């Protein structure tokens, strides 16, 4: 019997409750005071202390504050010999294991059923659930009958219920088991109960095999019953999907008799539509809990010799290995110091040493003392807890200065050394492949430059050909950004115009600064409004309601509006399309759609249609009862469905992306499919008047097909929803998100740069930065913005909320009360900002309008330049185009006034804006 573990598919980290002591001048940290931190955790209060002592340079006479420590092995420090001391915070995670139980019992004289769902892992658990009916088609949930809903439940839209789990009445003192019971008084029309578990403490959701839990109430569902699979909303959430065992233990079965049944938990499939028997299921679950640690480092000059003595102490329990080395200058190149070394020290690849820390006398934590010759300028280290767990300083090696010429790096700084962790993990073959990769990019760029020169000497006037070459160079530059150590030039709108002019003529031409429109990417000055939320369909006349707000949205400064999916859909929100040419939807009729588009055009606002072309719901069943035959104008058969989704038995080719399991995935490799979709998009442009597209779930199909569709439909603007999981390690978001933004950039590359993409990377990093007061996350290792806007700003569509993440779904809601910090960031930075409807028509309206006005007044655009001035624990500050200064976070910042005068424009909760005067 193979059992795996249920894991969350959203990773929200615990809030940090400590603040960095040092906020302003890093050079002042050489060190004139001690930094103390108070750390709190729901599970443990663990600290790691490491004291490092060092002799001050003759030119320094540091004065030290009184230092009070809880450790019992620190040496008495004389201020005249003390060189350095600091406490570094470190967060690690601990797995808490437990189980989810699902039980179906007969109660009340064996007349009624009762479903029990419980969990014995500590947390604030919520059951998010709904029902399926016998005659349902598709995978939509419904709300249960009123008499099934337990007390204390909350209604979620029109399809689900949220019920909190309570401590079981039978639980012993100290037992953490929580449960909820649902009575099934009439189940003849209900075929199944669907649910997921949510831990409100962490915001994590737990599923079964990456989908909703499904408890069948009949033994055999009809052929047209709903197919198991996550609701669409869940499929789009960030974080790793869980892989847990589908082994469901029937109380009357032996482990060998248990079958792996992915569609239901049935007991006797031969009994057509009979009620299922009772069962008891246990599934393992783990929850990651953040534990706050610290490492205290002190250095002092030995009074007897010229050596520096270093003391490191920690109360992290168990085995802790110090992976360390020394350096001679600010290049921080690791080397091994000569012996003697501490006990239990071994060499690692002749580049570093590994020392096992010794258990402290009181049994709480570990410590070590190291003596080093005075010739070394710095001490570098990381901590190793096991083969896969390394602890470092916000993504960099810990660095301790040992001479007055050294400088202490704190926060988000670019370590000049390669970093020991990368050196340990990366193999030589990877380094060779990286070299080959970068050489290939350089060769491609050289070839493209040659192409430009060739076109120039031919006096070619084909602007289209020149733009394609320039876009390809921009793409390659973005792709190479994460590899090259030198910075990538930032191309302004003016630079591109000048380059185009130089290509067309050998004679210098006057530069036309009028914004140029490139198909799919607009002028670069767009400000996007998402014109709906998850509930907008309910009025039945959303188009008309939105038309009434057109003039108001134009006055606020919006230039583009994104409308909801227009087609007939199985789901009322529009994201389960059926007949693509039927534009009578829950939002209004086709005539009302045309009317609202014309209304926005009258006030100067472009309109984007929400094109859902990854999947399409079928009209008819095939001979096996599978829904994969289409009607309407696009009457495709099962050749239009990919072959590698087992739910829909398609006869097309394998998917070119990731499958969306709630509906048949369209096979875009089929020429007839592409031709039909291109014709449909062109019809929408002509018939409705759409100016461009928001493309849904583009992870599901190759970006090259998107290029084909955009070349045919020639949109003014296009943005794809490439929603991918960010990088997490033990429940905490990693600082380096280059791999995440690279995948988005790769998709844009595949479209040949003809479409932008939502900057999910920036949204995720803003979440962690604001939630945890870790604003250092907003600068990457090159000192650039860490999202897509830091690599390819002209294709990055930034946002903080949308209909999936916020609204009544709330699947990845932006930190509460900090929304305006998010808008202060995206509305002042490059990229194309998108503002969510719910925020526009809220108390934030005035502040958002002020930010938009500031952006437009200073002509901030998608290619504007950013200079980051601060990225510290409690403050982020930047100047954009030397015209706009901004800061977010509780920390202090004032723009430098040496060469520029600044006027304060607006100050809100933990954010402030200036413009050059």
């Amino acid at each position: 019997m193979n059992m795996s573990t249920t894991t969350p598919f959203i990773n929200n980290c615990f809030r940090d409750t400590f603040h960095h002591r040092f906020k302003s001048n890093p050079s002042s940290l050489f060190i004139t005071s001690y930094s103390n931190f108070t750390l709190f955790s729901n599970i443990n209060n663990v600290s790691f202390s490491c004291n490092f002592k060092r002799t001050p340079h003759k030119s320094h006479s540091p004065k030290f504050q009184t230092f009070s420590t809880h450790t019992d092995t620190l040496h008495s420090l004389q201020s005249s010999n003390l060189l350095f001391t600091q406490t570094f915070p470190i967060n690690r995670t601990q797995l808490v294991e437990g189980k989810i139980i699902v039980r179906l019992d007969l109660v009340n004289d064996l007349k009624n059923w009762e479903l029990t769902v419980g969990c014995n892992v500590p947390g604030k658990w919520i059951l998010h659930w709904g029902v399926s009916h016998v005659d349902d088609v598709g995978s939509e949930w419904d709300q249960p009958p009123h008499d099934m809903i337990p007390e204390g439940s909350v209604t979620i839209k029109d399809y689900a219920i949220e019920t909190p789990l309570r401590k079981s009445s039978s639980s012993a003192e100290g037992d953490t088991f929580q449960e909820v019971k649902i009575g099934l008084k009439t189940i003849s029309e209900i075929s199944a109960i669907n649910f997921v578990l949510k831990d409100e403490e962490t915001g994590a959701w737990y599923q079964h095999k990456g989908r909703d839990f499904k408890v069948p109430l009949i033994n055999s569902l009809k052929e047209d019953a709903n197919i198991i699979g996550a609701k669409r909303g869940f499929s789009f959430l960030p974080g790793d999907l869980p892989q847990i065992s589908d082994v469901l233990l029937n109380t009357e079965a032996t482990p060998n008799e248990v079958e792996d049944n992915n569609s239901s938990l049935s007991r006797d499939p031969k009994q057509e539509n009979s009620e299922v028997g009772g069962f008891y299921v246990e599934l393992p679950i783990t929850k990651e809990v953040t534990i706050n640690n610290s490492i205290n480092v002190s250095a002092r000059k030995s009074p007897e010799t010229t050596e520096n003595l270093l003391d490191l102490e920690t109360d992290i329990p168990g085995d802790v290995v110090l992976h360390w080395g020394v350096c001679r200058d600010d290049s921080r190149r690791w080397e091994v110091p000569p012996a003697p070394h501490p006990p239990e020290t071994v060499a690692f690849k002749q580049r570093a040493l590994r020392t096992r820390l010794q258990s402290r006398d009181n049994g709480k934590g570990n410590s070590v003392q190291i003596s080093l010759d005075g010739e070394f300028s710095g001490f570098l280290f990381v901590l190793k807890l096991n083969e896969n767990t390394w602890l470092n300083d916000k993504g960099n090696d810990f660095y301790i200065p040992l001479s007055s010429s050294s400088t202490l790096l704190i926060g988000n700084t670019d370590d000049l050394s390669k970093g020991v962790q990368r050196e340990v993990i990366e193999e030589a073959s990877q380094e060779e492949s990286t070299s080959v990769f970068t050489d290939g990019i350089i060769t491609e760029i050289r070839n493209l430059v040659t192409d430009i020169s060739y076109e120039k000497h031919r006096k070619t006037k084909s602007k289209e050909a020149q733009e394609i070459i320039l876009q390809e160079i921009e793409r390659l530059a973005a792709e190479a950004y994460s590899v090259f150590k030198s910075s990538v030039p930032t191309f302004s709108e003016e630079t591109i115009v000048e380059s185009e002019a130089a290509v067309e003529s050998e004679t210098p031409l006057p530069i036309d600064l009028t914004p140029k429109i490139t198909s799919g990417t607009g002028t670069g000055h767009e400000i996007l409004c998402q014109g709906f939320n998850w509930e907008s369909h309910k009025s039945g006349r959303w188009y008309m309601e939105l038309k009434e707000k057109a003039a108001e949205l134009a006055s606020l400064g919006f230039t583009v509006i994104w409308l909801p999916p227009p087609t007939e859909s199985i789901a009322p929100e529009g994201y389960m399309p059926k007949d693509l040419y039927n534009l009578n939807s829950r939002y209004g009729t086709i005539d009302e759609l045309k009317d609202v588009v014309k209304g926005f055009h009258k006030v100067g606002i472009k309109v984007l249609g929400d094109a859902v072309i990854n999947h399409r719901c079928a009209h008819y069943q095939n001979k096996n009862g599978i829904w994969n035959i289409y009607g309407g104008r696009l009457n495709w058969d099962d050749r239009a469905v990919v072959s590698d989704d087992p739910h829909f038995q398609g006869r097309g080719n394998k998917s070119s992306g990731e499958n969306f399991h709630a509906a048949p995935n369209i096979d875009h490799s089929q020429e007839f499919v592409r031709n039909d979709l291109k014709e449909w998009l062109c019809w929408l442009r002509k018939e409705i008047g759409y100016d461009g597209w928001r493309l849904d779930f583009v992870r599901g199909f190759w970006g090259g097909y998107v290029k084909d569709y955009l070349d045919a439909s020639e949109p003014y603007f296009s943005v794809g929803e490439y929603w991918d999981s960010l990088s997490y390690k033990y429940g905490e978001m990693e600082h380096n998100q280059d791999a995440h933004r690279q995948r988005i950039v790769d998709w844009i590359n595949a479209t040949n740069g003809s479409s932008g993409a939502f900057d999910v990377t920036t949204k995720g990093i803003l979440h962690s930065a604001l939630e945890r007061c870790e604003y250092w996350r907003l600068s990457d290792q090159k000192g650039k913005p860490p999202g897509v806007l830091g690599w390819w700003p002209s294709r990055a569509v930034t946002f903080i909320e949308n209909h999936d993440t916020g609204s009544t779904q709330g699947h990845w809601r932006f930190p509460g009360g900090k929304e305006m910090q998010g808008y202060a960031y995206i509305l002042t930075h490059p990229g194309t900002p998108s503002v969510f409807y719910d925020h526009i028509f809220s108390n934030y309206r005035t502040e958002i309008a002020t930010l938009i006005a500031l952006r437009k007044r200073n002509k901030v655009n998608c290619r504007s330049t950013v200079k980051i001035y601060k990225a510290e624990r409690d403050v982020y500050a930047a100047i954009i185009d030397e015209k706009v200064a901004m800061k977010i976070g509780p920390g202090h910042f004032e723009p430098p006034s040496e060469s520029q005068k600044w006027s304060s424009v607006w100050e809100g909760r933990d954010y402030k804006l200036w413009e050059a005067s």
Side-chain angles (χ1 to χ4, degrees):
M1 180 172 62
N2 296 320
M3 299 292 284
S4 55
T5 304
T6 304
T7 55
F9 61 99
I10 294 184
N11 295 289
N12 286 338
C13 306
F14 293 104
R15 294 178 181 271
D16 253 339
T17 58
F18 55 83
H19 298 278
H20 205 293
R21 181 178 180 118
F22 307 111
K23 301 176 183 176
S24 52
N25 184 8
S27 64
S28 68
L29 300 176
F30 183 80
I31 282 282
T32 59
S33 63
Y34 298 91
S35 55
N36 300 312
F37 299 86
T38 303
L39 311 179
F40 300 95
S41 170
N42 292 342
I43 301 296
N44 276 325
N45 186 10
V46 181
S47 66
F48 182 166
S49 303
C50 184
N51 291 335
F52 216 151
K53 311 167 181 119
R54 183 185 151 205
T55 306
H57 190 272
K58 291 181 180 179
S59 63
H60 294 271
S61 300
K63 297 180 181 180
F64 299 98
Q65 299 176 357
T66 303
F67 178 72
S68 176
T69 177
H70 64 280
T71 60
D72 55 5
T73 63
L74 289 178
H75 295 275
S76 299
L77 304 178
Q78 298 179 0
S79 61
S80 61
N81 292 330
L82 182 64
L83 299 175
F84 173 89
T85 184
Q86 185 174 346
T87 300
F88 297 92
I90 303 176
N91 293 331
R92 64 187 181 93
T93 58
Q94 177 175 303
L95 287 178
V96 178
E97 298 182 351
K99 61 185 178 182
I100 294 173
I101 70 103
V102 183
R103 185 177 193 127
L104 188 63
D105 296 306
L106 276 171
V107 295
N108 298 336
D109 299 326
L110 305 181
K111 294 181 179 180
N112 296 312
W113 292 95
E114 183 177 70
L115 176 67
T116 302
V117 179
C119 181
N120 67 348
V121 174
K124 189 176 181 182
W125 295 100
I126 300 292
L127 187 75
H128 184 97
W129 63 287
V131 301
S132 299
H133 291 92
V134 172
D135 296 326
D136 279 351
V137 177
S139 60
E140 291 297 304
W141 290 14
D142 294 313
Q143 281 193 354
H146 182 74
D147 58 3
M148 280 182 62
I149 303 175
E151 292 185 6
S153 299
V154 175
T155 300
I156 304 298
K157 297 180 290 187
D158 59 352
Y159 72 84
I161 299 293
E162 286 194 349
T163 305
L165 276 64
R166 309 293 187 190
K167 186 173 180 180
S168 173
S169 58
S170 60
S171 298
E173 186 68 25
D175 192 353
T176 59
F177 184 76
Q178 303 173 58
E179 65 180 7
V180 62
K181 295 180 182 292
I182 299 174
L184 313 177
K185 296 181 180 179
T186 56
I187 62 172
S188 59
E189 296 180 356
I190 298 176
S191 63
I193 294 178
N194 313 288
F195 71 89
V196 292
L197 275 177
K198 177 184 177 182
D199 181 9
E200 286 204 333
E201 287 184 353
T202 63
W205 297 73
Y206 293 78
Q207 293 179 301
H208 172 235
K209 299 185 66 179
R211 303 180 188 170
D212 309 339
F213 288 89
K214 189 180 190 74
V215 179
L217 302 180
I218 58 176
N219 273 321
S220 179
L221 302 180
K222 292 183 178 181
E223 289 181 347
D224 60 350
N226 62 317
I227 300 167
I228 186 169
K231 281 185 64 61
R232 180 188 184 282
F234 295 126
S235 298
F236 280 75
L237 293 178
D240 293 330
L241 292 178
Q243 295 296 325
I244 71 170
S245 172
D246 56 353
V247 177
L248 304 170
L249 304 181
N250 189 292
T251 54
E252 298 180 4
T254 65
N256 292 332
E257 295 170 336
V258 177
E259 296 182 354
D260 179 0
N261 190 334
N262 189 41
S263 60
S264 66
L265 310 179
S266 65
R267 195 173 170 190
D268 184 3
K270 297 180 181 179
Q271 297 180 9
E272 183 76 17
N273 288 340
S274 62
E275 292 181 356
V276 71
F279 58 79
Y280 177 83
V281 176
E282 288 188 3
L283 295 171
I285 181 175
T286 61
K287 176 181 175 180
E288 293 178 341
V289 179
T290 299
I291 300 175
N292 296 317
N293 310 338
S294 66
I295 173 171
N296 183 275
V297 184
S298 68
R300 62 186 170 92
K301 182 73 175 179
S302 172
E304 294 85 12
T305 68
T306 60
E307 294 180 333
N308 293 324
L309 299 179
L310 299 87
D311 288 312
L312 301 92
E313 295 192 354
T314 176
D315 58 4
I316 293 180
D319 291 336
V320 179
V321 174
L322 182 74
H323 189 105
W324 62 282
V326 293
C327 60
R328 297 181 182 273
D329 51 43
D330 283 343
S331 67
R332 301 185 187 175
R333 183 179 299 277
W334 282 59
E335 62 178 270
V336 175
H341 301 140
E344 296 194 55
T345 297
V346 296
F348 177 79
K349 294 186 178 181
Q350 299 181 344
R351 295 291 304 276
L353 297 173
R354 287 183 174 177
T355 301
R356 186 178 301 279
L357 303 190
Q358 303 299 307
S359 178
R360 294 166 60 188
D361 294 339
N362 60 6
K364 298 180 179 179
N366 302 274
S367 64
V368 69
Q369 185 176 85
I370 299 174
S371 61
L372 293 174
D373 191 88
E375 63 179 300
F376 299 111
S377 66
F379 179 84
L380 305 108
F381 71 94
V382 293
L383 297 174
K384 185 172 182 286
L385 301 188
N386 54 53
E387 288 302 319
N388 298 315
T389 304
W390 294 81
L391 304 177
N392 57 26
D393 184 22
K394 307 185 188 81
N396 298 316
D397 307 334
F398 287 100
Y399 172 71
I400 308 303
L402 297 179
S403 71
S404 59
S405 62
S406 302
T407 55
L408 175 64
L409 296 183
I410 291 183
N412 182 29
T413 54
D414 185 14
D415 190 352
L416 300 178
S417 68
K418 292 178 67 177
V420 67
Q421 210 166 347
R422 283 170 287 170
E423 182 178 319
V424 172
I425 295 173
E426 292 179 355
E427 299 294 337
S429 61
Q430 290 178 303
E431 294 174 359
E432 291 173 4
S433 65
T434 299
S435 176
V436 172
F437 174 70
T438 56
D439 289 345
I441 292 178
I442 293 171
T443 301
E444 286 188 63
I445 292 177
R446 284 173 178 164
N447 292 338
L448 288 166
V449 172
T450 302
D451 290 342
I452 290 180
S453 177
Y454 176 69
E455 294 291 336
K456 174 181 174 182
H457 288 297
R458 288 184 56 197
K459 302 290 192 296
T460 300
K461 301 298 182 181
S462 172
K463 200 163 187 175
E464 179 182 359
Q466 296 153 12
E467 286 181 350
I468 290 174
I469 293 173
L470 289 169
Q471 288 174 1
E472 186 69 7
I473 291 176
E474 186 181 8
R475 177 189 73 78
L476 291 168
E479 187 175 350
Y481 185 91
S482 62
V483 184
F484 292 127
K485 291 186 178 294
S486 59
S487 61
V488 175
T490 301
F491 296 98
S492 67
E493 193 81 38
E494 292 79 4
T495 303
I496 291 176
V497 174
E498 184 176 5
S499 299
E500 292 172 351
V503 169
E504 289 189 2
S505 173
E506 296 191 21
T507 303
L509 298 177
I511 299 174
D512 179 10
L513 298 183
T514 304
K516 305 297 181 183
I517 298 176
T518 302
S519 179
T521 58
T523 67
H525 294 262
E526 285 72 26
I527 301 175
L528 176 62
C529 162
Q530 179 177 358
F532 64 100
N533 60 32
W534 195 249
E535 303 295 316
S536 297
H537 66 91
K538 289 189 173 179
S539 70
R541 56 182 306 273
W542 183 250
Y543 293 147
M544 293 298 95
E545 293 179 23
L546 205 54
K547 180 185 176 183
E548 296 170 0
K549 294 180 169 61
E552 182 179 2
L553 291 170
S555 68
L556 292 173
F558 290 103
T559 64
V560 181
I561 188 166
W562 156 25
L563 296 186
T567 59
E568 175 197 15
S569 170
I570 297 297
E573 296 83 10
Y575 289 100
M576 300 286 280
K578 190 175 180 180
D579 185 348
L580 298 186
Y581 280 91
N582 182 353
L583 301 189
N584 295 313
S585 70
R586 298 288 184 91
Y587 298 101
T589 66
I590 183 174
D591 291 331
E592 290 171 338
L593 175 58
K594 293 178 182 179
D595 198 22
V596 71
V597 170
K598 290 178 181 177
F600 278 109
H601 285 167
K602 285 181 180 179
V603 296
I605 294 180
K606 304 287 187 181
V607 181
L608 303 185
D610 201 326
V612 185
I613 56 176
N614 171 74
H615 51 273
R616 182 186 172 197
C617 295
H619 293 71
Y620 312 108
Q621 296 168 287
N622 66 7
K623 61 182 180 180
N624 298 322
I626 301 300
W627 294 86
N628 61 12
I629 307 298
Y630 296 95
R633 183 167 167 179
L634 302 182
N635 54 347
W636 302 332
D637 59 16
D638 52 7
R639 292 175 301 157
V641 179
V642 298
S643 61
D644 53 349
D645 185 346
H647 296 91
F648 297 104
Q649 298 181 5
R651 290 193 297 122
N653 297 312
K654 290 185 178 180
S655 176
S656 58
E658 297 186 22
N659 281 325
F660 172 65
H661 295 294
N665 286 249
I666 295 172
D667 180 11
H668 295 262
S669 70
Q670 302 283 5
E671 186 175 2
F672 75 89
V673 169
R674 293 199 307 277
N675 288 339
D676 283 347
L677 290 178
K678 286 187 286 187
E679 184 179 350
W680 176 67
L681 290 171
C682 291
W683 176 77
L684 288 175
R685 290 269 280 135
K686 182 178 180 180
E687 184 72 17
I688 306 301
Y690 284 129
D691 301 289
W693 316 115
R694 180 266 186 186
L695 300 168
D696 183 66
F697 198 67
V698 296
R699 282 174 62 191
F701 53 103
W702 179 47
Y705 298 135
V706 173
K707 178 184 181 302
D708 195 18
Y709 301 141
L710 300 186
D711 286 347
S713 60
E714 297 183 336
Y716 166 87
F717 191 87
S718 173
V719 55
E721 182 205 32
Y722 194 97
W723 194 331
D724 196 8
S725 304
L726 278 80
S727 300
Y728 291 86
K729 190 171 184 180
Y730 302 114
E732 181 177 351
M733 181 182 289
E734 294 188 270
H735 177 213
N736 188 330
Q737 295 293 334
D738 286 357
H740 182 267
R741 58 175 166 174
Q742 185 66 58
R743 291 191 291 273
I744 299 176
V745 165
D746 287 345
W747 179 84
I748 301 172
N749 287 342
T751 74
N752 200 34
S754 60
S755 176
F758 286 110
D759 192 349
V760 181
T761 314
T762 291
K763 174 177 168 63
I765 292 171
L766 281 169
H767 272 248
S768 284
L770 274 58
E771 276 183 330
R772 301 168 59 89
C773 197
E774 293 178 345
Y775 291 85
W776 49 264
R777 291 182 178 273
L778 293 172
S779 176
D780 67 11
Q781 293 184 344
K782 299 290 186 182
K784 304 289 185 181
V788 178
L789 71 90
W791 277 2
W792 205 344
S794 65
R795 303 302 189 268
V797 178
T798 53
F799 72 109
I800 70 167
E801 208 78 288
N802 64 27
H803 61 290
D804 282 321
T805 66
S807 190
T808 52
Q809 290 204 101
H811 289 323
W812 196 26
R813 198 179 300 281
F814 201 77
K818 301 180 187 294
E819 290 87 354
M820 285 312 305
Q821 287 190 61
Y823 281 124
Y825 183 90
I826 70 171
L827 285 169
T828 59
H829 278 56
T832 300
S834 176
V835 183
F836 185 42
Y837 180 89
D838 290 6
H839 293 158
I840 300 169
F841 296 97
S842 72
N843 294 333
Y844 297 140
R845 184 184 186 279
T846 300
E847 293 175 89
I848 290 173
T850 301
L851 284 165
I852 293 176
L854 176 66
R855 183 181 183 90
K856 301 190 79 168
R857 188 164 61 245
N858 290 278
K859 295 181 172 57
V860 176
N861 60 79
C862 73
R863 292 184 178 88
S864 290
T865 58
V866 178
K867 184 175 182 181
I868 297 175
Y869 277 78
K870 278 191 175 184
E872 300 174 1
R873 174 162 293 279
D874 61 353
V875 64
Y876 168 86
I879 293 179
I880 298 87
D881 287 345
E882 299 182 354
K883 297 177 181 178
V884 175
M886 57 82 68
K887 79 98 180 177
I888 57 175
H892 176 73
F893 172 76
E894 290 289 334
S897 57
E898 293 83 3
S899 59
Q900 182 71 271
K901 291 185 178 181
W902 298 92
S903 300
S904 176
V905 176
W906 187 272
E907 184 171 2
R909 181 181 175 184
D910 288 338
Y911 76 94
K912 192 171 182 179
L913 308 167
W914 300 262
E915 64 182 336
S917 57

